[in-house]
């Protein structure tokens, strides 16, 4: 017992001294400084809202066709005695030019016979007129008053006059048939096809070739009802000197080179196609083989072209990237100074891959529209705005609270975002992931 007691006292002494020393060190140890750091916001890309005019452009395709095209065919029958050297496939023809001529001997004889008939009818009429005068004189000498028309030979004179008119009509018909032995071009144009040969026999209505006018060509462009509205055209539109149709730029590959021609819409179809539910817009090009050609390359019939139609212009609209519009009519705006997201509703006018045009009293020119995908977004959400600059670099906007804490400032990097000053590794990882999306 006497030996155990000193050991216990020694152990208790060591414990008391050690515990006191630990408590003393704990009390005297300086407390670590606690930094009042705000939580890091989600890094999101943004682009500025700008102001611009919206000009609608409608794309369509169609085949070029001549405005006037006819089949060359005679109105009478006969053997072909002449074919114009220009009346060949691809030949140029002029208005009034004789394309085909038929043998005229039979028709010349017909004219002679008709002339003879007219002379006979004129002689008969003259004889009837003389006999009527003699009859009237005889009636007066006999003292007959109020003689009948037959006694005055009036029916005989009427018959002679009718015979003369008939003979003259036959002469005119013979001259007309003689004139139709020559088939002439009704307009300036070109020959699409030709089948006439000298010595061949032609019947009335037989097709000897196809010709088309070269003054105007047209293209039928099927578009939707929405596109018709973008062009500002009503259904059954017809251009006038006061109201002209939209300008059209035609393009096509010709001879291995892209060619362009400028025309104009002149009318629309009067009805909607019942099968396609599309509306045909007809655009025309004047003088396609002359002034309307592109460096000598005509917009020839049969060519398949792409048409770009210039529509209405809406001025002073606000424009943001298309990806900034969410849920149809909402836009996400980043406040770089507060580091917060704001959601506004806008009046969306039109959108395409080039951007979204809208009206809004809350969104200002120069605001930063967010383009990154954000899940469960809400107004006031904490964000860090990364602005895409026109030169391709990315500007990081540090919120005001971070700048007051002295942690960073607005910096610029290249588009890869490899070194963003003022952001930690987690923010850089979020940037890389977001940019990849």
């Amino acid at each position: 017992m006497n030996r155990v007691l000193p050991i216990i006292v020694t152990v208790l002494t060591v414990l008391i001294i050690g515990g006191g020393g630990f408590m003393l060190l704990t009390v005297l140890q300086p407390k670590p400084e606690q930094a009042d750091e705000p939580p890091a916001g989600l890094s999101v890309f943004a682009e500025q809202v700008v102001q611009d005019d919206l000009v609608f452009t409608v794309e369509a395709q169609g085949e070029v066709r001549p405005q006037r095209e006819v089949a060359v065919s005679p109105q009478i029958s006969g053997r072909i005695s002449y074919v114009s050297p220009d009346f060949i496939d691809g030949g140029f023809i002029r208005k009034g030019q004789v394309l085909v001529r038929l043998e005229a001997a039979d028709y010349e004889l017909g004219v002679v016979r008709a002339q003879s008939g007219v002379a006979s009818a004129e002689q008969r009429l003259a004889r009837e007129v003389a006999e009527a005068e003699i009859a009237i004189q005889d009636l007066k000498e006999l003292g007959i008053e109020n003689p009948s028309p037959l006694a005055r030979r009036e029916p005989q004179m009427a018959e002679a006059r009718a015979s003369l008119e008939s003979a003259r009509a036959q002469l005119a018909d013979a001259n007309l048939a003689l004139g139709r032995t020559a088939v002439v071009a009704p307009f300036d144009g070109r020959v699409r096809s030709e089948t006439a040969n000298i010595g061949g026999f032609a019947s009335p209505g037989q097709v000897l070739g196809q010709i088309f006018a070269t003054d105007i060509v047209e293209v039928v462009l099927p578009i939707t009802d929405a596109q018709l509205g973008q062009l500002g055209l009503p259904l059954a539109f017809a251009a006038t000197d006061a109201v002209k149709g939209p300008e059209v730029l035609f393009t096509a590959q010709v001879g291995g080179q892209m060619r362009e021609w400028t025309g104009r819409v002149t009318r629309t179809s009067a009805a909607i196609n019942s099968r396609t539910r599309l509306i045909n817009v007809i655009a025309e090009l004047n003088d396609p083989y002359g002034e309307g050609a592109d460096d000598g390359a005509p917009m020839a019939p049969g060519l398949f072209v792409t048409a770009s139609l210039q529509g209405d212009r809406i001025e002073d609209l606000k424009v943001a990237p298309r990806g900034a519009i969410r849920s149809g009519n909402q836009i996400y705006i980043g406040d770089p100074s507060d580091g917060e997201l704001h959601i506004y509703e806008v009046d969306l006018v039109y959108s395409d891959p080039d951007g979204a045009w809208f009206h809004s009293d809350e969104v200002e020119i120069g605001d930063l529209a967010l383009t990154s995908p954000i899940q469960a977004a809400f107004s006031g959400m904490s964000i860090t705005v990364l602005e895409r600059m026109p030169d391709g670099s990315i500007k990081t906007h540090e919120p005001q609270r971070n700048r007051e804490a002295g942690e960073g400032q607005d910096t610029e990097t290249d588009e890869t975002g490899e070194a963003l000053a003022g952001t930690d590794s987690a923010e850089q990882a979020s940037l890389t992931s977001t940019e990849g999306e």
Side-chain angles (χ1 to χ4, degrees), residues 58-97:
V58 175
E59 299 287 338
Q61 294 179 323
E63 181 179 352
V64 181
R65 69 184 188 186
Q67 189 181 62
R68 293 181 293 168
E69 183 172 9
V70 298
V72 177
S73 58
Q75 294 178 274
I76 60 174
S77 62
R79 193 169 301 278
I80 299 174
S81 61
Y82 169 80
V83 176
S84 171
D86 295 328
F87 189 47
I88 55 176
D89 189 0
F92 285 88
I93 57 176
R94 302 178 305 277
K95 182 178 181 180
Q97 180 180 355

Side-chain angles (χ1 to χ4, degrees), residues 237-381:
F237 166 79
T240 62
D241 293 336
V243 181
K244 297 184 180 297
E247 191 174 87
V248 182
L249 178 65
F250 301 103
T251 57
Q253 193 85 9
V254 179
Q257 183 177 351
M258 187 61 67
R259 300 288 186 174
E260 295 183 351
W261 305 272
T262 302
R264 189 172 293 275
V265 172
T266 57
R267 64 189 187 279
T268 63
S269 59
I272 299 174
N273 190 304
S274 59
R275 293 184 300 172
T276 63
R277 311 309 304 170
L278 298 178
I279 303 167
N280 289 334
V281 171
I282 295 89
E284 294 182 354
L285 172 67
N286 294 325
D287 197 10
Y289 288 85
E291 294 182 357
D294 179 15
D295 195 20
M299 195 171 82
L303 191 65
F304 195 77
V305 297
T306 298
S308 178
L309 295 81
Q310 298 299 319
D312 283 347
R313 174 186 290 270
I314 304 178
E315 298 181 348
D316 300 332
L317 291 178
K318 296 171 183 176
V319 187
R322 186 178 186 178
I325 303 298
R326 326 292 174 104
S327 302
N329 65 340
Q330 291 184 341
I331 188 171
Y332 289 2
I333 299 295
D335 187 340
S337 60
D338 294 339
E340 293 183 350
L341 179 149
H342 300 285
I343 301 176
Y344 302 110
E345 290 190 355
V346 298
D347 180 14
L348 184 64
V349 177
Y350 180 73
S351 68
D352 62 15
D354 295 330
W357 287 258
F358 61 91
H359 291 288
S360 176
D361 295 331
E362 297 174 304
V363 180
E364 301 294 337
I365 305 299
D367 285 351
L368 296 176
L370 307 183
T371 58
S372 299
I374 304 175
Q375 295 183 354
F378 58 89
S379 291
M381 181 178 180

Side-chain angles (χ1 to χ4, degrees), residues 22 44 48 50 52 63 69 71 142 159 183-184 216 231 236 242 251 315 333 346 403 416 419:
F22 177 78
V44 292
Q48 287 192 11
V50 298
D52 197 6
E63 181 179 352
E69 183 172 9
L142 295 174
E159 182 182 6
V183 181
V184 300
I216 300 175
L231 295 177
T251 57
E315 298 181 348
I333 299 295
V346 298
R403 291 199 294 270
T416 61

Side-chain angles (χ1 to χ4, degrees), residues 359-426:
H359 291 288
S360 176
D361 295 331
E362 297 174 304
V363 180
E364 301 294 337
I365 305 299
D367 285 351
L368 296 176
L370 307 183
T371 58
S372 299
I374 304 175
Q375 295 183 354
F378 58 89
S379 291
M381 181 178 180
S382 179
I383 58 173
T384 298
V385 179
L386 308 177
E387 181 184 356
R388 295 184 186 272
M389 307 303 292
D391 60 1
S393 62
I394 298 175
K395 181 179 180 181
T396 303
H397 294 273
E398 289 292 341
Q400 182 67 30
R401 58 178 182 271
N402 288 352
R403 291 199 294 270
E404 291 176 353
E407 292 188 355
Q409 58 185 0
D410 289 354
T411 61
E412 291 189 8
T413 70
D414 60 18
E415 193 170 357
T416 61
E418 291 182 353
L420 296 175
T423 61
D424 56 19
S425 59

